[in-house]
Amino acid sequence: ERTGPLDVLVSNASVSLVVRGPEDYTRRGFLKSMSTGAWPTWDYVMAAKRVLGQYPRYVVSMSSDGPDRFTPMYDFVASGKAVVETLTRYMAFRLRDEGVRVNAVRSRAIKTDAFDATFGDDFFGFLESFVDEDWFVTPDDVAKAAYALCSGVFDGVNGQVLTVDRGNAFSDGISYLY
């Protein structure tokens, strides 16, 4: 009653087990990664309906390029992001008659504390020896994409995964380095 409906929900909840080898493939680790990395967005959407009486107008989940490319120790994180992207499409379908827009923003590596915790402090420096500064996506790049999806300008976009990569996924690879 005090706040009214929730207009925008942007969810970046993600906690997953870092996989160092096959011995880390446990049912418990996988299910914990799914429940803390893939499920929170949908829990929040349903809680908004239950507590505030309606769904948010815009829902944006954060993803990564993990489902499509190998990243060391990212096994369960990538699995969770694949689930996020799949449920984004299905939730958009389920909520379309409610006027809700559900999308995901997928990005490349961003220098954050979580990145360092997952891959170690030295990995970003290693990347910098191979690629230019403009290869790296910034938090501002991702924020602008999320803002655009929630601005009303992109209301024709629903159930999509928007990739924020500065166009570098196309040119990233051995041939480019050569």
mmCIF file of all heavy atoms in Angstrom, residues 73-119:
data_model
loop_
_atom_site.group_PDB
_atom_site.id
_atom_site.type_symbol
_atom_site.label_atom_id
_atom_site.label_comp_id
_atom_site.label_asym_id
_atom_site.label_seq_id
_atom_site.Cartn_x
_atom_site.Cartn_y
_atom_site.Cartn_z
ATOM 1 N N MET A 73 36.637 -23.430 -14.867
ATOM 2 C CA MET A 73 35.973 -23.475 -13.561
ATOM 3 C C MET A 73 34.549 -22.921 -13.576
ATOM 4 O O MET A 73 33.950 -22.703 -12.540
ATOM 5 C CB MET A 73 36.803 -22.743 -12.492
ATOM 6 C CG MET A 73 38.190 -23.314 -12.305
ATOM 7 S SD MET A 73 39.175 -22.473 -11.053
ATOM 8 C CE MET A 73 39.495 -20.905 -11.853
ATOM 9 N N TYR A 74 33.984 -22.665 -14.737
ATOM 10 C CA TYR A 74 32.698 -21.994 -14.885
ATOM 11 C C TYR A 74 31.553 -22.959 -15.156
ATOM 12 O O TYR A 74 30.451 -22.555 -15.493
ATOM 13 C CB TYR A 74 32.833 -20.989 -16.041
ATOM 14 C CG TYR A 74 32.015 -19.743 -15.944
ATOM 15 C CD1 TYR A 74 32.221 -18.801 -14.936
ATOM 16 C CD2 TYR A 74 31.046 -19.474 -16.899
ATOM 17 C CE1 TYR A 74 31.474 -17.635 -14.883
ATOM 18 C CE2 TYR A 74 30.291 -18.308 -16.857
ATOM 19 C CZ TYR A 74 30.515 -17.398 -15.845
ATOM 20 O OH TYR A 74 29.780 -16.241 -15.797
ATOM 21 N N ASP A 75 31.777 -24.253 -14.991
ATOM 22 C CA ASP A 75 30.825 -25.293 -15.362
ATOM 23 C C ASP A 75 29.413 -25.031 -14.824
ATOM 24 O O ASP A 75 28.441 -25.000 -15.578
ATOM 25 C CB ASP A 75 31.291 -26.662 -14.855
ATOM 26 C CG ASP A 75 32.724 -26.996 -15.218
ATOM 27 O OD1 ASP A 75 33.585 -26.097 -15.189
ATOM 28 O OD2 ASP A 75 32.995 -28.167 -15.499
ATOM 29 N N PHE A 76 29.295 -24.862 -13.506
ATOM 30 C CA PHE A 76 27.978 -24.696 -12.899
ATOM 31 C C PHE A 76 27.441 -23.285 -13.089
ATOM 32 O O PHE A 76 26.228 -23.091 -13.187
ATOM 33 C CB PHE A 76 28.015 -25.063 -11.423
ATOM 34 C CG PHE A 76 28.153 -26.549 -11.157
ATOM 35 C CD1 PHE A 76 28.416 -27.007 -9.884
ATOM 36 C CD2 PHE A 76 28.029 -27.485 -12.179
ATOM 37 C CE1 PHE A 76 28.538 -28.366 -9.626
ATOM 38 C CE2 PHE A 76 28.150 -28.838 -11.934
ATOM 39 C CZ PHE A 76 28.407 -29.280 -10.641
ATOM 40 N N VAL A 77 28.310 -22.293 -13.150
ATOM 41 C CA VAL A 77 27.858 -20.928 -13.421
ATOM 42 C C VAL A 77 27.237 -20.889 -14.819
ATOM 43 O O VAL A 77 26.137 -20.359 -15.013
ATOM 44 C CB VAL A 77 29.012 -19.903 -13.324
ATOM 45 C CG1 VAL A 77 28.495 -18.503 -13.625
ATOM 46 C CG2 VAL A 77 29.682 -19.944 -11.967
ATOM 47 N N ALA A 78 27.947 -21.457 -15.794
ATOM 48 C CA ALA A 78 27.446 -21.477 -17.169
ATOM 49 C C ALA A 78 26.122 -22.245 -17.254
ATOM 50 O O ALA A 78 25.196 -21.821 -17.963
ATOM 51 C CB ALA A 78 28.484 -22.102 -18.101
ATOM 52 N N SER A 79 26.020 -23.344 -16.532
ATOM 53 C CA SER A 79 24.767 -24.109 -16.514
ATOM 54 C C SER A 79 23.631 -23.252 -15.966
ATOM 55 O O SER A 79 22.526 -23.248 -16.517
ATOM 56 C CB SER A 79 24.924 -25.365 -15.654
ATOM 57 O OG SER A 79 25.917 -26.203 -16.181
ATOM 58 N N GLY A 80 23.902 -22.525 -14.893
ATOM 59 C CA GLY A 80 22.895 -21.641 -14.309
ATOM 60 C C GLY A 80 22.475 -20.543 -15.262
ATOM 61 O O GLY A 80 21.292 -20.198 -15.369
ATOM 62 N N LYS A 81 23.440 -19.982 -15.992
ATOM 63 C CA LYS A 81 23.120 -18.916 -16.951
ATOM 64 C C LYS A 81 22.284 -19.461 -18.109
ATOM 65 O O LYS A 81 21.391 -18.775 -18.619
ATOM 66 C CB LYS A 81 24.395 -18.251 -17.472
ATOM 67 C CG LYS A 81 25.209 -17.538 -16.404
ATOM 68 C CD LYS A 81 24.412 -16.465 -15.692
ATOM 69 C CE LYS A 81 25.275 -15.666 -14.730
ATOM 70 N NZ LYS A 81 24.508 -14.651 -14.003
ATOM 71 N N ALA A 82 22.541 -20.692 -18.528
ATOM 72 C CA ALA A 82 21.726 -21.307 -19.576
ATOM 73 C C ALA A 82 20.285 -21.466 -19.097
ATOM 74 O O ALA A 82 19.334 -21.224 -19.856
ATOM 75 C CB ALA A 82 22.312 -22.663 -19.991
ATOM 76 N N VAL A 83 20.116 -21.841 -17.842
ATOM 77 C CA VAL A 83 18.775 -21.961 -17.267
ATOM 78 C C VAL A 83 18.113 -20.588 -17.199
ATOM 79 O O VAL A 83 16.935 -20.434 -17.538
ATOM 80 C CB VAL A 83 18.827 -22.630 -15.873
ATOM 81 C CG1 VAL A 83 17.497 -22.530 -15.159
ATOM 82 C CG2 VAL A 83 19.264 -24.085 -16.002
ATOM 83 N N VAL A 84 18.844 -19.563 -16.769
ATOM 84 C CA VAL A 84 18.302 -18.201 -16.717
ATOM 85 C C VAL A 84 17.783 -17.786 -18.095
ATOM 86 O O VAL A 84 16.678 -17.248 -18.226
ATOM 87 C CB VAL A 84 19.369 -17.195 -16.217
ATOM 88 C CG1 VAL A 84 18.970 -15.757 -16.518
ATOM 89 C CG2 VAL A 84 19.614 -17.374 -14.732
ATOM 90 N N GLU A 85 18.566 -18.033 -19.122
ATOM 91 C CA GLU A 85 18.177 -17.625 -20.471
ATOM 92 C C GLU A 85 16.954 -18.409 -20.958
ATOM 93 O O GLU A 85 16.060 -17.842 -21.597
ATOM 94 C CB GLU A 85 19.350 -17.775 -21.429
ATOM 95 C CG GLU A 85 20.457 -16.774 -21.130
ATOM 96 C CD GLU A 85 21.654 -16.882 -22.052
ATOM 97 O OE1 GLU A 85 21.579 -17.611 -23.061
ATOM 98 O OE2 GLU A 85 22.666 -16.219 -21.763
ATOM 99 N N THR A 86 16.887 -19.683 -20.654
ATOM 100 C CA THR A 86 15.736 -20.488 -21.055
ATOM 101 C C THR A 86 14.477 -20.021 -20.324
ATOM 102 O O THR A 86 13.420 -19.825 -20.943
ATOM 103 C CB THR A 86 15.995 -21.983 -20.775
ATOM 104 O OG1 THR A 86 17.133 -22.398 -21.531
ATOM 105 C CG2 THR A 86 14.790 -22.834 -21.144
ATOM 106 N N LEU A 87 14.579 -19.829 -19.013
ATOM 107 C CA LEU A 87 13.419 -19.379 -18.257
ATOM 108 C C LEU A 87 13.011 -17.954 -18.623
ATOM 109 O O LEU A 87 11.830 -17.611 -18.525
ATOM 110 C CB LEU A 87 13.685 -19.493 -16.757
ATOM 111 C CG LEU A 87 13.771 -20.926 -16.225
ATOM 112 C CD1 LEU A 87 14.083 -20.919 -14.728
ATOM 113 C CD2 LEU A 87 12.507 -21.706 -16.512
ATOM 114 N N THR A 88 13.945 -17.135 -19.072
ATOM 115 C CA THR A 88 13.605 -15.791 -19.560
ATOM 116 C C THR A 88 12.617 -15.898 -20.704
ATOM 117 O O THR A 88 11.601 -15.190 -20.750
ATOM 118 C CB THR A 88 14.878 -15.043 -20.022
ATOM 119 O OG1 THR A 88 15.675 -14.754 -18.869
ATOM 120 C CG2 THR A 88 14.545 -13.764 -20.752
ATOM 121 N N ARG A 89 12.881 -16.782 -21.636
ATOM 122 C CA ARG A 89 11.997 -16.952 -22.788
ATOM 123 C C ARG A 89 10.621 -17.473 -22.367
ATOM 124 O O ARG A 89 9.585 -16.981 -22.824
ATOM 125 C CB ARG A 89 12.646 -17.890 -23.803
ATOM 126 C CG ARG A 89 13.887 -17.284 -24.433
ATOM 127 C CD ARG A 89 14.583 -18.272 -25.361
ATOM 128 N NE ARG A 89 15.738 -17.663 -25.969
ATOM 129 C CZ ARG A 89 16.984 -17.895 -25.587
ATOM 130 N NH1 ARG A 89 17.244 -18.720 -24.606
ATOM 131 N NH2 ARG A 89 17.991 -17.295 -26.197
ATOM 132 N N TYR A 90 10.629 -18.468 -21.495
ATOM 133 C CA TYR A 90 9.363 -19.047 -21.063
ATOM 134 C C TYR A 90 8.568 -18.092 -20.175
ATOM 135 O O TYR A 90 7.339 -18.008 -20.294
ATOM 136 C CB TYR A 90 9.595 -20.387 -20.352
ATOM 137 C CG TYR A 90 9.757 -21.508 -21.346
ATOM 138 C CD1 TYR A 90 11.012 -21.841 -21.840
ATOM 139 C CD2 TYR A 90 8.646 -22.223 -21.798
ATOM 140 C CE1 TYR A 90 11.164 -22.855 -22.776
ATOM 141 C CE2 TYR A 90 8.791 -23.237 -22.723
ATOM 142 C CZ TYR A 90 10.052 -23.554 -23.214
ATOM 143 O OH TYR A 90 10.189 -24.555 -24.142
ATOM 144 N N MET A 91 9.231 -17.369 -19.288
ATOM 145 C CA MET A 91 8.534 -16.416 -18.430
ATOM 146 C C MET A 91 7.951 -15.277 -19.268
ATOM 147 O O MET A 91 6.850 -14.794 -18.980
ATOM 148 C CB MET A 91 9.467 -15.872 -17.356
ATOM 149 C CG MET A 91 8.763 -15.051 -16.298
ATOM 150 S SD MET A 91 7.523 -15.943 -15.311
ATOM 151 C CE MET A 91 8.555 -16.833 -14.172
ATOM 152 N N ALA A 92 8.663 -14.861 -20.305
ATOM 153 C CA ALA A 92 8.123 -13.832 -21.205
ATOM 154 C C ALA A 92 6.831 -14.325 -21.842
ATOM 155 O O ALA A 92 5.853 -13.577 -21.950
ATOM 156 C CB ALA A 92 9.148 -13.465 -22.281
ATOM 157 N N PHE A 93 6.807 -15.573 -22.254
ATOM 158 C CA PHE A 93 5.596 -16.150 -22.830
ATOM 159 C C PHE A 93 4.476 -16.209 -21.790
ATOM 160 O O PHE A 93 3.337 -15.813 -22.060
ATOM 161 C CB PHE A 93 5.879 -17.552 -23.379
ATOM 162 C CG PHE A 93 4.639 -18.278 -23.797
ATOM 163 C CD1 PHE A 93 4.029 -17.994 -25.012
ATOM 164 C CD2 PHE A 93 4.066 -19.227 -22.968
ATOM 165 C CE1 PHE A 93 2.874 -18.649 -25.398
ATOM 166 C CE2 PHE A 93 2.905 -19.884 -23.347
ATOM 167 C CZ PHE A 93 2.309 -19.595 -24.556
ATOM 168 N N ARG A 94 4.808 -16.681 -20.602
ATOM 169 C CA ARG A 94 3.795 -16.854 -19.551
ATOM 170 C C ARG A 94 3.201 -15.528 -19.085
ATOM 171 O O ARG A 94 2.048 -15.467 -18.686
ATOM 172 C CB ARG A 94 4.386 -17.580 -18.345
ATOM 173 C CG ARG A 94 4.933 -18.948 -18.645
ATOM 174 C CD ARG A 94 3.844 -19.953 -18.830
ATOM 175 N NE ARG A 94 4.427 -21.265 -19.116
ATOM 176 C CZ ARG A 94 3.807 -22.194 -19.795
ATOM 177 N NH1 ARG A 94 2.595 -21.985 -20.258
ATOM 178 N NH2 ARG A 94 4.365 -23.341 -20.018
ATOM 179 N N LEU A 95 4.001 -14.447 -19.105
ATOM 180 C CA LEU A 95 3.548 -13.158 -18.576
ATOM 181 C C LEU A 95 3.175 -12.148 -19.652
ATOM 182 O O LEU A 95 2.863 -10.997 -19.339
ATOM 183 C CB LEU A 95 4.627 -12.568 -17.658
ATOM 184 C CG LEU A 95 4.951 -13.380 -16.402
ATOM 185 C CD1 LEU A 95 6.048 -12.698 -15.597
ATOM 186 C CD2 LEU A 95 3.711 -13.617 -15.559
ATOM 187 N N ARG A 96 3.183 -12.554 -20.901
ATOM 188 C CA ARG A 96 2.927 -11.593 -21.981
ATOM 189 C C ARG A 96 1.544 -10.967 -21.883
ATOM 190 O O ARG A 96 1.368 -9.788 -22.166
ATOM 191 C CB ARG A 96 3.152 -12.229 -23.339
ATOM 192 C CG ARG A 96 2.124 -13.266 -23.688
ATOM 193 C CD ARG A 96 2.386 -13.922 -25.010
ATOM 194 N NE ARG A 96 1.325 -14.906 -25.226
ATOM 195 C CZ ARG A 96 1.327 -15.763 -26.171
ATOM 196 N NH1 ARG A 96 2.320 -15.784 -27.026
ATOM 197 N NH2 ARG A 96 0.346 -16.620 -26.287
ATOM 198 N N ASP A 97 0.542 -11.721 -21.465
ATOM 199 C CA ASP A 97 -0.810 -11.170 -21.354
ATOM 200 C C ASP A 97 -0.954 -10.230 -20.148
ATOM 201 O O ASP A 97 -1.945 -9.514 -20.044
ATOM 202 C CB ASP A 97 -1.845 -12.298 -21.266
ATOM 203 C CG ASP A 97 -1.942 -13.083 -22.571
ATOM 204 O OD1 ASP A 97 -1.540 -12.546 -23.631
ATOM 205 O OD2 ASP A 97 -2.412 -14.242 -22.529
ATOM 206 N N GLU A 98 0.026 -10.231 -19.268
ATOM 207 C CA GLU A 98 0.047 -9.323 -18.116
ATOM 208 C C GLU A 98 0.741 -8.006 -18.475
ATOM 209 O O GLU A 98 0.851 -7.116 -17.633
ATOM 210 C CB GLU A 98 0.781 -9.974 -16.936
ATOM 211 C CG GLU A 98 0.201 -11.278 -16.476
ATOM 212 C CD GLU A 98 -1.008 -11.114 -15.579
ATOM 213 O OE1 GLU A 98 -1.185 -10.032 -14.991
ATOM 214 O OE2 GLU A 98 -1.786 -12.078 -15.467
ATOM 215 N N GLY A 99 1.255 -7.904 -19.702
ATOM 216 C CA GLY A 99 1.961 -6.689 -20.117
ATOM 217 C C GLY A 99 3.382 -6.593 -19.583
ATOM 218 O O GLY A 99 3.965 -5.517 -19.554
ATOM 219 N N VAL A 100 3.946 -7.713 -19.184
ATOM 220 C CA VAL A 100 5.305 -7.749 -18.622
ATOM 221 C C VAL A 100 6.307 -8.038 -19.727
ATOM 222 O O VAL A 100 6.068 -8.892 -20.593
ATOM 223 C CB VAL A 100 5.408 -8.831 -17.515
ATOM 224 C CG1 VAL A 100 6.802 -8.881 -16.933
ATOM 225 C CG2 VAL A 100 4.377 -8.565 -16.418
ATOM 226 N N ARG A 101 7.426 -7.335 -19.712
ATOM 227 C CA ARG A 101 8.529 -7.581 -20.642
ATOM 228 C C ARG A 101 9.643 -8.260 -19.854
ATOM 229 O O ARG A 101 10.122 -7.714 -18.860
ATOM 230 C CB ARG A 101 9.055 -6.284 -21.247
ATOM 231 C CG ARG A 101 8.033 -5.500 -22.042
ATOM 232 C CD ARG A 101 7.641 -6.280 -23.300
ATOM 233 N NE ARG A 101 6.629 -5.604 -24.085
ATOM 234 C CZ ARG A 101 5.317 -5.804 -23.954
ATOM 235 N NH1 ARG A 101 4.857 -6.642 -23.061
ATOM 236 N NH2 ARG A 101 4.465 -5.176 -24.721
ATOM 237 N N VAL A 102 10.039 -9.451 -20.293
ATOM 238 C CA VAL A 102 11.077 -10.230 -19.615
ATOM 239 C C VAL A 102 12.204 -10.469 -20.604
ATOM 240 O O VAL A 102 11.990 -11.059 -21.661
ATOM 241 C CB VAL A 102 10.528 -11.585 -19.109
ATOM 242 C CG1 VAL A 102 11.607 -12.343 -18.342
ATOM 243 C CG2 VAL A 102 9.285 -11.389 -18.251
ATOM 244 N N ASN A 103 13.396 -10.001 -20.272
ATOM 245 C CA ASN A 103 14.564 -10.180 -21.135
ATOM 246 C C ASN A 103 15.788 -10.466 -20.285
ATOM 247 O O ASN A 103 15.762 -10.299 -19.060
ATOM 248 C CB ASN A 103 14.799 -8.914 -21.977
ATOM 249 C CG ASN A 103 13.683 -8.692 -22.965
ATOM 250 O OD1 ASN A 103 13.549 -9.411 -23.942
ATOM 251 N ND2 ASN A 103 12.849 -7.678 -22.712
ATOM 252 N N ALA A 104 16.851 -10.876 -20.937
ATOM 253 C CA ALA A 104 18.123 -11.095 -20.253
ATOM 254 C C ALA A 104 19.202 -10.289 -20.972
ATOM 255 O O ALA A 104 19.125 -10.064 -22.184
ATOM 256 C CB ALA A 104 18.491 -12.579 -20.261
ATOM 257 N N VAL A 105 20.173 -9.862 -20.218
ATOM 258 C CA VAL A 105 21.347 -9.183 -20.771
ATOM 259 C C VAL A 105 22.539 -10.090 -20.538
ATOM 260 O O VAL A 105 22.859 -10.442 -19.398
ATOM 261 C CB VAL A 105 21.576 -7.798 -20.126
ATOM 262 C CG1 VAL A 105 22.890 -7.192 -20.612
ATOM 263 C CG2 VAL A 105 20.411 -6.867 -20.426
ATOM 264 N N ARG A 106 23.169 -10.468 -21.622
ATOM 265 C CA ARG A 106 24.339 -11.349 -21.585
ATOM 266 C C ARG A 106 25.564 -10.492 -21.871
ATOM 267 O O ARG A 106 25.571 -9.701 -22.804
ATOM 268 C CB ARG A 106 24.174 -12.395 -22.675
ATOM 269 C CG ARG A 106 25.339 -13.332 -22.823
ATOM 270 C CD ARG A 106 25.164 -14.149 -24.070
ATOM 271 N NE ARG A 106 24.539 -15.417 -23.751
ATOM 272 C CZ ARG A 106 24.792 -16.530 -24.423
ATOM 273 N NH1 ARG A 106 25.600 -16.533 -25.446
ATOM 274 N NH2 ARG A 106 24.205 -17.646 -24.088
ATOM 275 N N SER A 107 26.593 -10.662 -21.070
ATOM 276 C CA SER A 107 27.809 -9.883 -21.320
ATOM 277 C C SER A 107 29.042 -10.770 -21.282
ATOM 278 O O SER A 107 28.996 -11.912 -20.851
ATOM 279 C CB SER A 107 27.953 -8.757 -20.295
ATOM 280 O OG SER A 107 28.321 -9.286 -19.036
ATOM 281 N N ARG A 108 30.101 -10.172 -21.732
ATOM 282 C CA ARG A 108 31.409 -10.810 -21.642
ATOM 283 C C ARG A 108 31.980 -10.548 -20.265
ATOM 284 O O ARG A 108 31.324 -9.971 -19.409
ATOM 285 C CB ARG A 108 32.313 -10.212 -22.707
ATOM 286 C CG ARG A 108 31.823 -10.458 -24.113
ATOM 287 C CD ARG A 108 32.853 -10.025 -25.103
ATOM 288 N NE ARG A 108 34.037 -10.839 -24.923
ATOM 289 C CZ ARG A 108 34.483 -11.716 -25.805
ATOM 290 N NH1 ARG A 108 33.858 -11.871 -26.931
ATOM 291 N NH2 ARG A 108 35.550 -12.409 -25.584
ATOM 292 N N ALA A 109 33.223 -10.888 -20.080
ATOM 293 C CA ALA A 109 33.887 -10.687 -18.794
ATOM 294 C C ALA A 109 33.920 -9.202 -18.420
ATOM 295 O O ALA A 109 34.202 -8.344 -19.240
ATOM 296 C CB ALA A 109 35.316 -11.218 -18.868
ATOM 297 N N ILE A 110 33.622 -8.944 -17.157
ATOM 298 C CA ILE A 110 33.689 -7.595 -16.599
ATOM 299 C C ILE A 110 34.569 -7.680 -15.363
ATOM 300 O O ILE A 110 34.410 -8.590 -14.543
ATOM 301 C CB ILE A 110 32.290 -7.080 -16.199
ATOM 302 C CG1 ILE A 110 31.374 -7.042 -17.419
ATOM 303 C CG2 ILE A 110 32.391 -5.716 -15.546
ATOM 304 C CD1 ILE A 110 29.943 -6.701 -17.090
ATOM 305 N N LYS A 111 35.470 -6.758 -15.229
ATOM 306 C CA LYS A 111 36.386 -6.752 -14.087
ATOM 307 C C LYS A 111 35.605 -6.375 -12.829
ATOM 308 O O LYS A 111 35.194 -5.241 -12.640
ATOM 309 C CB LYS A 111 37.517 -5.747 -14.338
ATOM 310 C CG LYS A 111 38.507 -5.636 -13.199
ATOM 311 C CD LYS A 111 39.425 -6.817 -13.140
ATOM 312 C CE LYS A 111 40.583 -6.530 -12.194
ATOM 313 N NZ LYS A 111 40.815 -7.607 -11.281
ATOM 314 N N THR A 112 35.364 -7.375 -11.996
ATOM 315 C CA THR A 112 34.672 -7.183 -10.723
ATOM 316 C C THR A 112 35.358 -8.031 -9.660
ATOM 317 O O THR A 112 36.193 -8.888 -9.969
ATOM 318 C CB THR A 112 33.197 -7.620 -10.809
ATOM 319 O OG1 THR A 112 33.163 -9.028 -11.102
ATOM 320 C CG2 THR A 112 32.434 -6.850 -11.877
ATOM 321 N N ASP A 113 34.977 -7.827 -8.410
ATOM 322 C CA ASP A 113 35.495 -8.664 -7.331
ATOM 323 C C ASP A 113 35.094 -10.124 -7.546
ATOM 324 O O ASP A 113 35.872 -11.033 -7.261
ATOM 325 C CB ASP A 113 34.979 -8.173 -5.976
ATOM 326 C CG ASP A 113 35.553 -6.822 -5.581
ATOM 327 O OD1 ASP A 113 36.595 -6.420 -6.157
ATOM 328 O OD2 ASP A 113 34.962 -6.161 -4.703
ATOM 329 N N ALA A 114 33.864 -10.341 -8.042
ATOM 330 C CA ALA A 114 33.409 -11.710 -8.300
ATOM 331 C C ALA A 114 34.255 -12.376 -9.384
ATOM 332 O O ALA A 114 34.561 -13.562 -9.299
ATOM 333 C CB ALA A 114 31.935 -11.706 -8.704
ATOM 334 N N PHE A 115 34.639 -11.613 -10.400
ATOM 335 C CA PHE A 115 35.505 -12.148 -11.455
ATOM 336 C C PHE A 115 36.831 -12.608 -10.844
ATOM 337 O O PHE A 115 37.291 -13.725 -11.100
ATOM 338 C CB PHE A 115 35.746 -11.076 -12.520
ATOM 339 C CG PHE A 115 36.577 -11.550 -13.683
ATOM 340 C CD1 PHE A 115 35.962 -12.043 -14.816
ATOM 341 C CD2 PHE A 115 37.967 -11.498 -13.643
ATOM 342 C CE1 PHE A 115 36.723 -12.486 -15.894
ATOM 343 C CE2 PHE A 115 38.729 -11.939 -14.708
ATOM 344 C CZ PHE A 115 38.110 -12.432 -15.842
ATOM 345 N N ASP A 116 37.432 -11.746 -10.023
ATOM 346 C CA ASP A 116 38.699 -12.104 -9.387
ATOM 347 C C ASP A 116 38.546 -13.297 -8.450
ATOM 348 O O ASP A 116 39.429 -14.158 -8.394
ATOM 349 C CB ASP A 116 39.267 -10.913 -8.610
ATOM 350 C CG ASP A 116 39.800 -9.816 -9.515
ATOM 351 O OD1 ASP A 116 40.028 -10.087 -10.716
ATOM 352 O OD2 ASP A 116 39.992 -8.689 -9.026
ATOM 353 N N ALA A 117 37.423 -13.366 -7.735
ATOM 354 C CA ALA A 117 37.205 -14.480 -6.818
ATOM 355 C C ALA A 117 37.067 -15.796 -7.565
ATOM 356 O O ALA A 117 37.498 -16.840 -7.083
ATOM 357 C CB ALA A 117 35.956 -14.228 -5.967
ATOM 358 N N THR A 118 36.491 -15.749 -8.757
ATOM 359 C CA THR A 118 36.300 -16.963 -9.545
ATOM 360 C C THR A 118 37.570 -17.385 -10.264
ATOM 361 O O THR A 118 37.955 -18.552 -10.243
ATOM 362 C CB THR A 118 35.171 -16.758 -10.582
ATOM 363 O OG1 THR A 118 33.979 -16.401 -9.895
ATOM 364 C CG2 THR A 118 34.935 -18.019 -11.389
ATOM 365 N N PHE A 119 38.243 -16.420 -10.900
ATOM 366 C CA PHE A 119 39.351 -16.763 -11.784
ATOM 367 C C PHE A 119 40.728 -16.396 -11.251
ATOM 368 O O PHE A 119 41.738 -16.744 -11.850
ATOM 369 C CB PHE A 119 39.146 -16.084 -13.148
ATOM 370 C CG PHE A 119 37.837 -16.433 -13.779
ATOM 371 C CD1 PHE A 119 36.838 -15.492 -13.904
ATOM 372 C CD2 PHE A 119 37.587 -17.722 -14.219
ATOM 373 C CE1 PHE A 119 35.624 -15.815 -14.468
ATOM 374 C CE2 PHE A 119 36.368 -18.055 -14.788
ATOM 375 C CZ PHE A 119 35.385 -17.099 -14.909
#
